[in-house]
Amino acid sequence: KRFPLQLDAPPHEGMMTDIMDVVGRHAKDANRVEVPFEQIAPRTDQEFWSQKADRDMHVPMGRMGATRQQYLRLGRGVAQHALVAGKTGSGKSTLLHAIITNLAMWYRPDEVELYLIDFKKGVEFKTYATHAFPHGRVVAIESDREFGLSVLQRLQLEFARRAELYRKAGVQDFAGYRREGTGPYLPRILLMIDEFQEFFVEEDAIAQEAALLLDRIVRQGRAFGVHVILGSQTLGGSYSLAKATLGQMGVRIALQCSEADSYLILSDDNAAARLLSRPGEAIYNDMSGMVEGNNPFQIVWISDDIQERILTRIRDRAKAEGWQPEEAMTVFEGNVPADIRNNFPLRNRIEAPSAPGDGAGTVAWVGEANAIKGPTEVRFRNQGGANLLIVGQQKEAALGIVMGSVVGLAAAHPPRSARFLILDGSPPELGFGARFTELARAIPQDIELVEYGNVPKAIEDLDAEIKARQESGKTGPPTYLVIYDLQRFRKLRQGDEYEFSSGGEDKPPPSKCLANVLAEGPARGIHGLVWCDGVNNLTRTFSRKTMKEFEMRILFQMSPTDSAELIDSPQASKLGLHRGLLYLEQEGTLETFRPYGLPESAWLEEVKLALAGRKLGKARE
């Protein structure tokens, strides 16, 4: 009675709903921990590119506790290589980007060199190619296993080169070579492979050689200043490196993962990673996964906008200081067709004052190799079988190969000295005929676009020309017969063995003339480039005997049976989009490559002007 109590009326239901909505959203945001990238990046221009890689390579990648930074250190003791694992959404990609970007801010391009390989079906590393990343030697986006293997082979060659430099300097390791100060200045090399287990998805020669080379690089890398970071979503399953190789990875970085993966990434008695609860939360362990080596930390967050600004700054800094790499960065983009503008041998040929005369046949380039090497090429020698056959249902890829080959062949000969007969059987609605017309205007050679109704006569005339060359014993000017969409030329299909023309004249039909052109033409300087969409349509036109006249064959993805029919191997059945397989019978080789996409009209106009300039220069001479 002395203290009367009167309760307030409860709020209305709408107000309670609004309050719970606000609390819920803020509670969700409170669980997200973001450490700004600026906390680990150089703060002043004096700190930018201030580190030296003489003794080791270290870079901050996150925050440990309230104030301390967590460093990735490679190059001292057993901490030479790192293993990174975390499930989808755990922040693994953010961690890799933070390491790459921060390394490039602390170290000059001649201190640290990066080889970046991404086996994921994404474009994580594309930004480094787009911004002409000066630290990058190799950037592979949606990489093939063959290209990844070529990177490992390239590093083996680098090992041999550095071993020879060490011998001349009288030293045994990278630190000793830096102290000696003689010979070329060598950077440390960081090889980073995301989803490295893709190397081992098939039990084949690639997997065996990759396992051998990775083991050798991991074991010998310390002496040569080469370090490896392997990333994966899980280390479970049957596709992985040998435990002996993984055991050499002294640094382990575990993000959110299952208990089983925690034992695999850290050690058999260390399940600390299963307790990680938020994205970006990780455990750094440089004691090969032992429990006493656990250091929890939070990965920094770097947004796309911030990363682009930083990469632009790095590129501009390198340009301002006049830094030039010893060789251009190799970029492999497995998710798009190859770009013919990146073909430097072709560019040099177009700009050359005269045609190359290596005596080994005229080279045509068809795409970019799935390896660190020059573009994929075919050679049209003046000998039997020097014809090119393209088979598969990828129309644009076939057209890109044909157009690129014609440009390369045309540029290899002096103006008006080569002849091209183009038979375009593609449907008019595709508009490919307009591309051939555009091509004809771009190159200063004799190009004849044969209309559908004139095809039989054109083949008969070409057959007669071959016979005339045989009688005279001369080779004659180089001539290239291009047949695009072979299956649509019904008049070229093989008929009865004793079939003759319907006009009553005693002359062979067009099918037999075409067979003779392919059989006898190459020795007299007349070669064929033929595309057909499938094996069934191919056998309607060519007999088995005529098929043997194509010693150069390009296959797109097809059934194992069709692949075996053409190259005695089912390997073409494993090809994906933007992939081709080149078979050279004379060398007995199979090469996977990325075919050229359709050349842009602007590039063809540049080719036209360049070749015209070359022609005028020759006339003045």
Side-chain angles (χ1 to χ4, degrees):
K1 291 181 179 180
R2 292 178 58 190
F3 303 102
L5 176 63
Q6 183 177 0
L7 299 176
D8 294 338
H12 59 82
E13 185 176 350
M15 181 179 180
M16 291 295 295
T17 302
D18 292 341
I19 291 174
M20 293 304 295
D21 179 62
V22 172
V23 171
R25 282 190 283 107
H26 282 278
K28 183 179 180 181
D29 293 338
N31 190 47
R32 183 186 299 119
V33 178
E34 290 185 1
V35 179
F37 181 79
E38 291 78 5
Q39 290 193 7
I40 65 171
R43 299 181 182 274
T44 63
D45 287 340
Q46 288 71 28
E47 290 182 338
F48 198 91
W49 285 2
S50 61
Q51 296 293 331
K52 303 285 286 185
D54 296 346
R55 301 180 61 186
D56 66 359
M57 181 174 63
H58 60 277
V59 61
M61 56 183 178
R63 188 177 66 190
M64 181 173 55
T67 57
R68 292 185 298 167
Q69 293 181 345
Q70 177 61 60
Y71 280 78
L72 170 67
R73 296 183 181 273
L74 299 177
R76 290 193 181 185
V78 297
Q80 302 293 329
H81 314 287
L83 195 60
V84 181
K87 63 184 182 181
T88 303
S90 61
K92 177 167 63 69
S93 296
T94 302
L95 171 64
L96 299 182
H97 282 303
I99 293 173
I100 296 169
T101 307
N102 213 22
L103 270 174
M105 296 185 74
W106 286 101
Y107 292 90
R108 291 175 52 86
D110 55 359
E111 291 289 335
V112 175
E113 195 172 73
L114 298 172
Y115 290 67
L116 309 176
I117 303 176
D118 183 11
F119 281 119
K120 287 191 303 186
K121 303 301 180 184
V123 290
E124 288 291 344
F125 293 155
K126 183 175 177 61
T127 184
Y128 303 109
T130 303
H131 289 84
F133 190 50
H135 296 72
R137 175 58 62 88
V138 173
V139 176
I141 305 156
E142 199 171 318
S143 178
D144 282 354
R145 298 167 68 237
E146 292 88 349
F147 184 83
L149 179 62
S150 74
V151 175
L152 302 183
Q153 294 167 341
R154 173 67 173 270
L155 286 175
Q156 282 296 296
L157 296 177
E158 181 66 17
F159 276 19
R161 184 178 80 93
R162 294 193 173 195
E164 181 64 20
L165 292 174
Y166 288 2
R167 185 188 65 78
K168 292 180 180 179
V171 298
Q172 295 183 346
D173 58 16
F174 184 85
Y177 183 83
R178 280 286 184 93
R179 286 195 303 270
E180 190 68 21
T182 60
Y185 196 77
L186 297 179
R188 285 190 182 270
I189 293 176
L190 177 61
L191 169 65
M192 183 178 291
I193 307 177
D194 197 8
E195 301 303 330
F196 72 95
Q197 290 169 301
E198 284 293 316
F199 267 130
F200 313 106
V201 294
E202 296 183 28
E203 295 183 1
D204 55 7
I206 294 177
Q208 294 176 4
E209 187 172 358
L212 178 65
L213 291 177
L214 272 174
D215 183 74
R216 190 176 300 165
I217 291 171
V218 166
R219 293 180 184 275
Q220 300 178 359
R222 183 195 67 82
F224 294 107
V226 178
H227 311 283
V228 181
I229 296 179
L230 301 180
S232 180
Q233 293 183 10
T234 176
L235 297 181
S238 58
Y239 307 121
S240 188
L241 271 172
K243 285 189 175 182
T245 304
L246 294 177
Q248 298 293 322
M249 315 291 287
V251 177
R252 313 292 175 90
I253 303 176
L255 294 90
Q256 279 181 292
C257 58
S258 65
E259 184 174 356
D261 278 331
S262 179
Y263 291 135
L264 291 172
I265 181 68
L266 296 174
S267 65
D268 293 341
D269 59 347
N270 193 346
R274 70 181 177 86
L275 302 175
L276 301 176
S277 59
R278 62 175 181 266
E281 190 179 14
I283 292 175
Y284 181 87
N285 189 306
D286 58 2
M287 299 178 65
S288 299
M290 297 175 63
V291 176
E292 53 268 33
N294 288 350
N295 290 299
F297 74 103
Q298 180 70 33
I299 301 169
V300 295
W301 168 250
I302 177 171
S303 66
D304 293 342
D305 292 340
I306 293 176
Q307 187 180 28
E308 287 184 6
R309 289 201 300 270
I310 292 173
L311 294 179
T312 300
R313 179 186 176 190
I314 293 170
R315 181 190 61 198
D316 293 344
R317 177 74 174 261
K319 185 176 180 179
E321 294 191 5
W323 183 85
Q324 291 291 336
E326 294 183 2
E327 55 185 275
M329 177 171 59
T330 300
V331 179
F332 180 90
E333 290 190 74
N335 58 330
V336 296
D339 191 343
I340 196 170
R341 293 175 298 181
N342 297 328
N343 187 326
F344 294 103
L346 175 59
R347 180 187 303 176
N348 294 335
R349 173 182 288 184
I350 292 173
E351 297 174 353
S354 60
D358 58 5
T362 306
V363 174
W365 293 281
V366 296
E368 292 183 1
N370 282 19
I372 302 180
K373 59 185 287 292
T376 301
E377 65 181 37
V378 294
R379 287 182 179 268
F380 291 91
R381 299 178 172 89
N382 288 347
Q383 64 186 38
N387 300 302
L388 174 63
L389 176 65
I390 307 169
V391 185
Q393 296 185 359
Q394 298 184 23
K395 291 182 174 62
E396 289 197 4
L399 182 60
I401 291 175
V402 168
M403 294 184 69
S405 298
V406 170
V407 172
L409 293 171
H413 301 290
R416 304 302 174 190
S417 66
R419 182 186 177 204
F420 294 83
L421 272 73
I422 299 180
L423 282 57
D424 176 23
S426 61
E429 59 268 19
L430 292 180
F432 290 168
R435 299 310 309 271
F436 282 121
T437 302
E438 188 178 18
L439 177 65
R441 290 197 299 262
I443 57 179
Q445 300 291 359
D446 182 12
I447 296 185
E448 181 181 354
L449 302 178
V450 183
E451 295 183 0
Y452 187 86
N454 297 332
V455 167
K457 185 178 185 304
I459 298 297
E460 292 169 4
D461 291 346
L462 197 57
D463 183 33
E465 182 178 342
I466 291 175
K467 293 176 180 177
R469 293 188 184 189
Q470 290 174 328
E471 292 175 0
S472 65
K474 297 180 180 180
T475 300
T479 302
Y480 301 93
L481 172 64
V482 178
I483 304 178
Y484 185 81
D485 226 348
L486 175 70
Q487 60 275 6
R488 293 179 62 87
F489 294 100
R490 297 181 180 274
K491 293 182 180 180
L492 297 182
R493 293 181 180 178
Q494 56 182 337
D496 186 78
E497 184 178 357
Y498 302 102
E499 176 188 8
F500 291 95
S501 64
S502 58
E505 300 178 8
D506 189 11
K507 63 178 183 180
S511 60
K512 292 188 179 297
C513 292
L514 177 58
N516 188 63
V517 168
L518 296 172
E520 304 297 335
R524 298 297 171 183
I526 299 177
H527 307 273
L529 291 81
V530 180
W531 171 62
C532 186
D533 65 355
V535 174
N536 290 336
N537 285 326
L538 192 64
T539 55
R540 291 177 182 175
T541 304
F542 297 141
S543 64
R544 285 188 173 274
K545 181 180 178 181
T546 304
M547 288 283 292
K548 294 180 180 179
E549 303 301 333
F550 294 96
E551 294 188 354
M552 302 179 292
R553 302 182 182 184
I554 293 176
L555 278 62
F556 300 132
Q557 189 176 35
M558 59 182 62
S559 69
T561 303
D562 288 348
S563 177
E565 175 75 15
L566 292 170
I567 60 173
D568 292 329
S569 169
Q571 190 167 339
S573 64
K574 302 176 183 178
L575 298 173
L577 189 64
H578 310 307
R579 298 294 185 276
L581 185 66
L582 173 63
Y583 170 69
L584 300 176
E585 184 173 342
Q586 192 171 22
E587 287 83 7
T589 59
L590 286 172
E591 178 183 344
T592 305
F593 70 101
R594 286 188 303 135
Y596 286 129
L598 294 179
E600 296 180 356
S601 299
W603 182 78
L604 289 176
E605 186 64 25
E606 293 176 5
V607 170
K608 177 182 178 180
L609 295 175
L611 293 177
R614 197 178 78 184
K615 178 183 177 183
L616 291 174
K618 195 169 185 62
R620 285 194 297 270
E621 293 175 0

